Amino acid sequence: MPAKFFADPHDILLICMTNGFQVFCCGKYTAWPLLFINANLPPTEHYKWQNSIFAGLISSPHKPKDFDSYMVIVTEEMVKLIQGVSSYNVEDDEMFIL
């Protein structure tokens, strides 16, 4: 049975973003923030800080060699979301599976 993405009005599209930066101007240490953006919001609201989800920070003296190993926990949480989690709809005052 094919997946039906966005068949439910509660479905959420999250965009994962990361980009390394040098922490100090005279050092080798880098930091790689993991940010999620809710793409269901209007385009003018996507990238506002208050609408971003900060999922973690990878810090290292060099670029992470095995980036996938850092993403294991994030991937496990995304799988839980795909399988469905119990959520509360304040507007309708009811529980639903997200």
Side-chain angles (χ1 to χ4, degrees):
M1 184 166 132
K4 294 182 180 179
F5 297 110
F6 305 105
D8 186 313
H10 296 114
D11 287 348
I12 299 173
L13 174 61
L14 295 175
I15 300 169
C16 181
M17 301 185 326
T18 187
N19 192 7
F21 62 92
Q22 188 174 351
V23 179
F24 302 107
C25 64
C26 299
K28 328 183 241 187
Y29 286 92
T30 61
W32 294 75
L34 294 174
L35 290 172
F36 283 91
I37 303 300
N38 183 344
N40 294 68
L41 297 172
T44 57
E45 301 293 315
H46 281 185
Y47 300 102
K48 290 186 177 177
W49 184 248
Q50 64 267 25
N51 296 328
S52 301
I53 301 168
F54 179 72
L57 180 69
I58 302 167
S59 62
S60 169
H62 307 289
K63 179 181 177 181
K65 291 181 183 174
D66 185 13
F67 190 77
D68 290 345
S69 66
Y70 293 97
M71 294 300 291
V72 169
I73 295 171
V74 173
T75 303
E76 289 172 354
E77 291 298 317
M78 292 296 124
V79 168
K80 287 179 187 176
L81 284 174
I82 290 170
Q83 293 170 343
V85 293
S86 182
S87 303
Y88 180 69
N89 183 333
V90 175
E91 189 174 303
D92 296 335
D93 190 30
E94 66 183 10
M95 298 296 291
F96 68 96
I97 299 298
L98 180 64

